[in-house]
Amino acid sequence: MDSMLYGWRHKSFRKIQKTVTRRTYRELDHQQGEHMSLTGSLSQTVSDVDTAAMFGPDFPKAASTPFVLGLAEVACHNIVAGELQDGELTVGTAATIEHLLPSAVGATLTARATLVERDGRRLHFTVEVFDGDNVCATLTHSRAVAQAQKIADRLAQHGG
């Protein structure tokens, strides 16, 4: 299924292409011993504000590792977003990234994420990020299904 998602970044809205192969993540609980996964992809063009150079003059004008990680995180969230209950969201809990190749401003990066395991409210993914035909990053990423109100309450308690 192809659809468009509008993402907020640096006080502007930018169009982000996402593709999700649908099969409910809740079905994973019922697939004992059977390998089953959900996959999805998300693409975004690297702009000046997405580069490591935005962190200072000692860094290259190439897609920053935080940008690549953020793209992967959103790709993972999008896979399960349609299956979340009202008031639920996902939050990142862990990530391991290997940023293998630099990507220039103007390059379109595509994060291809796969949900590989669900353990209750914990979700585990693998992600490959492509710059054209080249894999520029690989990740393992974990997210948790959480209650949005509990997070808002916690932030309010801590001045957020």
Side-chain angles (χ1 to χ4, degrees):
M1 165 195 312
D2 288 337
S3 60
M4 299 309 285
L5 172 74
Y6 288 89
W8 179 82
R9 185 163 172 78
H10 302 286
K11 296 184 181 181
S12 66
F13 284 93
R14 296 190 321 175
K15 196 181 294 185
I16 303 170
Q17 179 68 40
K18 76 172 184 176
T19 306
V20 176
T21 304
R22 281 281 175 224
R23 188 138 187 214
T24 69
Y25 80 92
R26 295 183 193 286
E27 289 179 88
L28 289 173
D29 281 343
H30 306 292
Q31 302 294 321
Q32 298 296 328
E34 181 181 332
H35 179 72
M36 182 183 140
S37 61
L38 293 172
T39 60
S41 65
L42 179 67
S43 295
Q44 188 163 345
T45 302
V46 179
S47 70
D48 287 325
V49 298
D50 302 320
T51 68
M54 292 302 294
F55 293 99
D58 295 336
F59 300 102
K61 195 170 182 178
S64 68
T65 301
F67 170 75
V68 173
L69 174 59
L71 183 66
E73 283 199 77
V74 175
C76 292
H77 170 80
N78 287 347
I79 292 172
V80 298
E83 303 303 321
L84 297 173
Q85 303 297 315
D86 287 341
E88 289 182 333
L89 50 76
T90 67
V91 294
T93 59
T96 302
I97 183 169
E98 282 190 78
H99 198 161
L100 305 168
L101 300 171
S103 299
V105 170
T108 298
L109 301 187
T110 300
R112 294 183 187 156
T114 302
L115 175 63
V116 294
E117 181 183 354
R118 177 173 184 247
D119 181 16
R121 298 179 78 73
R122 302 262 179 206
L123 309 169
H124 305 282
F125 302 86
T126 58
V127 185
E128 289 183 311
V129 180
F130 290 84
D131 180 346
D133 292 332
N134 300 311
V135 175
C136 65
T138 59
L139 299 91
T140 57
H141 180 52
S142 298
R143 299 189 72 74
V145 177
Q147 295 297 316
Q149 188 59 54
K150 285 184 180 179
I151 292 172
D153 292 346
R154 173 92 173 154
L155 289 170
Q157 289 175 355
H158 298 287

